[in-house]
């Protein structure tokens, strides 16, 4: 449990609104101050849990419609076949995968209890037995796993939306969508879609709480999933998917709900990271068949599994399709016949490269992780606000102070203003010249002051201060335009405040 201490003197959270403190520091100070005023009990435990989450890794949920490939993508990001991809009971529950010193699975129950549950590995994937627990009793499964891929991210696998069983969809909505009584439990979301359906837009819109302290498109990335299946798995499938993703990315509605749209083939990535030499040998056998037979086999999945086709057993060929899909088989057979790859160690990177996984990892590394603290602060603040009504029944004074402190942070923290302004700019919510929109996106979303101000990262403090002063003056003047609407004024003021925060940072 967290042992952070902050002196509890004066108004709530002594570090709140002090110059140079981040929004996350302010939220943490408020929570610690509140915790120290509460007697041991459920409310103090809730505050401690929020503190632990704020100080832990970024929580990223993987969501999407049924059969979108969520578990497969999670396995690819972890680098091993961990999350079950079949229709077992685990796929019908929210599952949190986080780094731990040992292998452990526990069920977090709706009544607040926690119960350890047995598990085993079956062909790499976890098989969890709930035993005497009913699915309706379980709020989420918590899986601790000693994987380096989970050291900076906690990944959350969610049941499919638009499921025939609406209970599965409800679990995902309850877990992720902002509600007055309960804060969302994910700091960011990777949303998978086969194509842009109105239910996809509705979910992303619901996940994005538009309050000043909450999220904007900077905490959502949309993936065009199972992209290798476009055009029945033709060799140009990923190129076609990239063009579709570009079209979605330029869609004003999507741009206002997700920071980026990328094509990804999770199955290729998962298999590329776990490819076995016997599978590579099977690909070489297919590639070594006569040209006419290979052409016939690769026409369709049915042709590939025809008992009369090739030397391999039908079982082996079906396994190849399960692991690679028709696109992956075509890709590797073509590369083997061209002499580009031969062994599993050569085929595996080719699959990962073609899958789009590296582009997604770059987005996580360059987009989510540099903003982890502000995204976590946003979630912690939302959790704090949801706690206030429950706390007020028993500790009215503490609840009132907590609410006032949370509102003060939400209104004053420049990081939250930047998130909201970035949302307005991304969604074309204001009228801007192209060069102004480009400058604002850089100013609000860059991870460092120098990059945000458009100057060299090695520039001395004096140069950064000068650029910050110029930014303050330019956007303050723009905010004073008597013809500007309220949204434009808000964005310009946020830009000026951002410049002020950079100036103070280098004073």
């Amino acid at each position: 449990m967290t042992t952070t201490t902050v002196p509890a003197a004066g108004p709530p959270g002594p570090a709140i609104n002090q110059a140079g403190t981040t929004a996350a520091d302010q939220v943490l100070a408020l929570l610690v101050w509140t915790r120290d005023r509460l007697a041991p009990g459920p409310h103090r435990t809730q505050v401690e849990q929020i503190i632990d989450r704020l100080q832990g890794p970024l929580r990223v949920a993987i969501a999407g419609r049924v059969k979108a490939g969520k578990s497969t993508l999670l396995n690819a990001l972890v680098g091993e076949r961990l999350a079950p991809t079949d229709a077992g009971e685990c796929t019908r529950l929210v599952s949190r995968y986080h780094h731990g010193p040992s292998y452990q699975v526990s069920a977090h129950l709706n009544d607040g209890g926690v119960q350890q549950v047995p598990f085993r590995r079956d062909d790499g994937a976890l098989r969890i037995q709930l035993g005497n627990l009913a699915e309706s009793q379980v709020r989420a499964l918590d899986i601790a796993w000693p994987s380096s891929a989970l050291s900076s991210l906690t990944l959350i696998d969610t049941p499919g939306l638009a499921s025939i069983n609406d209970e599965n969809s409800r679990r995902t909505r309850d877990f992720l969508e902002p509600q007055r009584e309960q804060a969302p439990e994910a700091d960011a979301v990777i949303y998978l879609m086969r194509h842009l359906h109105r239910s996809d837009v509705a979910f992303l819109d619901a996940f994005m709480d538009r309050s000043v302290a909450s999220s904007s498109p900077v905490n959502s990335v949309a993936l065009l999933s199972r992209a290798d299946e476009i055009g029945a798995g033709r060799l140009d499938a990923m190129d076609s998917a990239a063009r579709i993703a570009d079209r979605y990315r330029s869609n004003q509605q999507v741009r206002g709900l997700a920071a980026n749209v990328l094509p990804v083939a999770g199955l290729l990535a998962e298999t590329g990271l776990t490819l076995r030499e016997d599978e590579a040998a099977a690909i070489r056998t297919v590639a070594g068949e006569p040209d006419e037979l290979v052409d016939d086999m690769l026409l369709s999945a049915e042709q590939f599994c025809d008992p009369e086709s090739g030397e391999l057993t039908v079982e082996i060929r079906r396994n190849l399709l399960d692991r690679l899909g028709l696109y992956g088989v075509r890709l590797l057979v073509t590369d083997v016949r061209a002499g580009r790859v031969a062994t599993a160690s050569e085929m595996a990177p080719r699959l990962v490269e073609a899958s789009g996984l590296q582009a997604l990892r770059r987005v996580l590394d360059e987009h989510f992780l540099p903003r982890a603290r502000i995204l976590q602060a946003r979630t912690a603040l939302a959790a704090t606000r949801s706690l206030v009504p429950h706390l007020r029944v028993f500790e009215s004074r503490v609840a009132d102070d907590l609410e006032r402190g949370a509102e003060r942070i939400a209104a004053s923290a420049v990081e939250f203003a930047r998130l909201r302004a970035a949302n307005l700019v991304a969604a074309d919510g204001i009228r801007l010249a192209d060069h102004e929109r480009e400058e604002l996106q850089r100013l609000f979303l860059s991870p460092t002051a120098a990059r945000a101000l458009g100057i060299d990262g090695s520039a001395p403090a004096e140069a950064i201060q000068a650029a910050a002063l110029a930014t303050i003056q330019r956007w303050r003047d723009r905010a004073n335009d008597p013809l500007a609407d309220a949204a434009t004024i808000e964005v310009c003021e946020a830009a000026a405040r951002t410049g002020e925060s950079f100036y103070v940072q280098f004073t």
Side-chain angles (χ1 to χ4, degrees):
M1 193 61 69
T2 301
T3 58
T4 306
T5 57
V6 174
I16 294 175
N17 300 332
Q18 289 183 4
T21 59
T22 66
D25 293 335
Q26 295 175 34
V27 174
L28 178 60
L30 176 63
L31 288 168
V32 171
W33 186 86
T34 301
R35 179 200 64 191
D36 292 346
R37 294 176 67 190
L38 295 173
H43 292 114
R44 179 175 176 130
T45 298
Q46 285 180 283
V47 173
E48 289 172 337
Q49 289 171 345
I50 299 172
I51 291 172
D52 286 343
R53 284 178 49 189
L54 178 58
Q55 295 185 305
L58 186 73
R59 292 188 172 199
V60 179
I62 301 176
R65 291 162 65 85
V66 176
K67 296 295 184 181
K70 299 178 295 297
S71 299
T72 301
L73 178 66
L74 187 145
N75 290 338
L77 289 171
V78 175
E80 57 181 305
R81 297 184 70 185
L82 186 58
T85 57
D86 59 16
E89 61 186 3
C90 293
T91 62
R92 300 193 291 269
L93 296 170
V94 172
S95 300
R96 294 185 293 250
Y97 295 82
H98 63 92
H99 184 270
S102 61
Y103 305 97
Q104 183 173 293
V105 179
S106 56
H108 288 241
L109 309 181
N110 291 318
D111 63 7
V114 179
Q115 182 172 319
Q116 301 297 313
V117 294
F119 66 93
R120 60 186 173 86
R121 298 291 294 275
D122 184 4
D123 193 24
L126 278 178
R127 301 298 174 189
I128 299 171
Q129 304 297 322
L130 294 181
N132 61 348
L133 290 175
E135 288 180 28
S136 59
Q137 294 177 272
V138 180
R139 172 166 173 73
L141 294 173
D142 191 271
I143 297 99
W145 213 256
S147 168
S148 59
L150 296 171
S151 58
S152 59
L153 287 175
T154 290
L155 294 173
I156 304 171
D157 196 9
T158 62
L161 297 165
S163 170
I164 294 175
N165 182 353
D166 191 58
E167 178 66 16
N168 297 339
S169 299
R170 184 193 62 77
R171 289 191 183 103
T172 298
R173 293 194 300 269
D174 289 349
F175 194 84
L176 295 178
E177 292 179 6
Q179 302 172 38
R180 179 175 177 80
E181 303 82 10
Q182 183 173 298
E185 297 198 34
D187 305 308
V189 66
I190 298 172
Y191 188 81
L192 280 65
M193 57 187 184
R194 302 292 299 277
H195 57 84
L196 188 59
H197 190 276
R198 63 174 176 268
S199 63
D200 301 320
V201 173
F203 173 82
L204 286 168
D205 186 69
F207 180 75
M208 190 179 68
D209 184 342
R210 289 174 174 76
S211 66
V212 172
S214 279
S215 61
S216 73
V218 298
N219 74 339
S220 302
V221 170
L223 301 184
L224 188 63
S225 67
R226 300 175 68 165
D228 55 313
E229 297 178 9
I230 290 176
R234 296 193 312 262
L235 281 175
D236 64 349
M238 293 303 294
D239 292 333
S240 299
R243 290 192 292 271
I244 295 171
D246 285 340
R247 189 165 69 247
Y248 285 157
R249 198 179 298 120
S250 62
N251 181 289
Q252 179 177 336
Q253 187 177 33
V254 175
R255 193 165 61 242
L257 297 172
N260 209 336
V261 183
L262 301 170
V264 171
L267 181 64
L268 290 184
E270 179 192 55
T271 302
L273 294 167
T274 59
L275 188 69
R276 303 189 305 269
E277 189 57 55
D278 64 298
E279 293 168 327
I283 288 292
R284 290 194 298 271
T285 299
V286 174
E289 300 281 10
D291 291 352
E292 184 176 346
L293 179 58
V294 171
D295 290 343
D296 287 343
M297 290 178 69
L298 297 183
L299 281 175
S300 68
E302 291 77 12
Q303 286 284 95
F304 187 73
C305 293
D306 187 332
E308 304 300 321
S309 296
E311 297 179 16
L312 295 176
T313 66
V314 173
E315 182 182 13
I316 292 175
R317 279 179 273 163
R318 284 176 177 161
N319 177 71
L320 287 178
L321 285 180
D322 289 342
R323 291 275 280 153
L324 295 163
L326 189 57
Y327 172 87
V329 171
R330 286 170 171 165
L331 179 70
L332 290 184
V333 168
T334 300
D335 281 1
V336 168
R337 291 168 71 85
R340 289 187 285 268
V341 299
T343 64
S345 61
E346 294 171 337
M347 294 180 192
R350 180 71 177 101
L351 292 172
V352 174
E353 176 191 12
S355 72
L357 179 65
Q358 301 295 14
L360 174 58
R361 282 179 168 162
R362 282 194 297 273
V363 169
L364 294 176
D365 291 342
E366 299 173 7
H367 191 88
F368 279 171
L369 291 179
R371 301 179 184 87
R373 289 289 286 161
I374 183 59
L375 295 178
Q376 290 173 290
R378 166 258 172 196
T379 309
L381 196 61
T384 299
R385 285 167 153 170
S386 68
L387 176 62
V388 167
H390 306 286
L391 183 59
R392 182 168 282 126
V393 177
F394 303 95
E395 296 279 358
S396 60
R397 184 172 178 180
V398 176
D400 289 343
D401 289 343
L402 181 61
E403 184 174 43
R404 282 194 295 270
E407 293 302 326
R408 196 154 57 241
I409 295 170
S412 63
V414 67
E415 296 102 319
F416 292 141
R418 288 170 67 180
L419 281 182
R420 176 171 168 79
N423 174 28
L424 291 171
V425 172
D428 288 336
I430 57 174
R431 293 180 181 177
L432 293 166
D434 288 344
H435 72 277
E436 290 179 321
R437 191 176 303 279
E438 182 179 338
E439 178 183 349
L440 287 170
Q441 288 174 333
R442 185 187 68 236
L443 187 64
F444 293 140
L445 300 179
S446 295
T448 66
R451 284 176 60 179
L453 295 168
I455 63 176
D456 187 84
S458 60
E462 294 79 5
I464 294 177
Q465 283 184 313
L469 286 173
T471 296
I472 295 167
Q473 185 64 54
R474 180 165 60 258
W475 291 106
R476 194 72 77 195
D477 290 345
R478 185 81 158 78
N480 290 329
D481 182 352
L483 299 180
D485 57 42
T488 300
I489 293 172
E490 179 182 347
V491 167
C492 295
E493 288 287 355
R497 288 180 61 195
T498 299
E500 290 170 352
S501 69
F502 292 150
Y503 183 87
V504 170
Q505 181 181 340
F506 287 88
T507 298

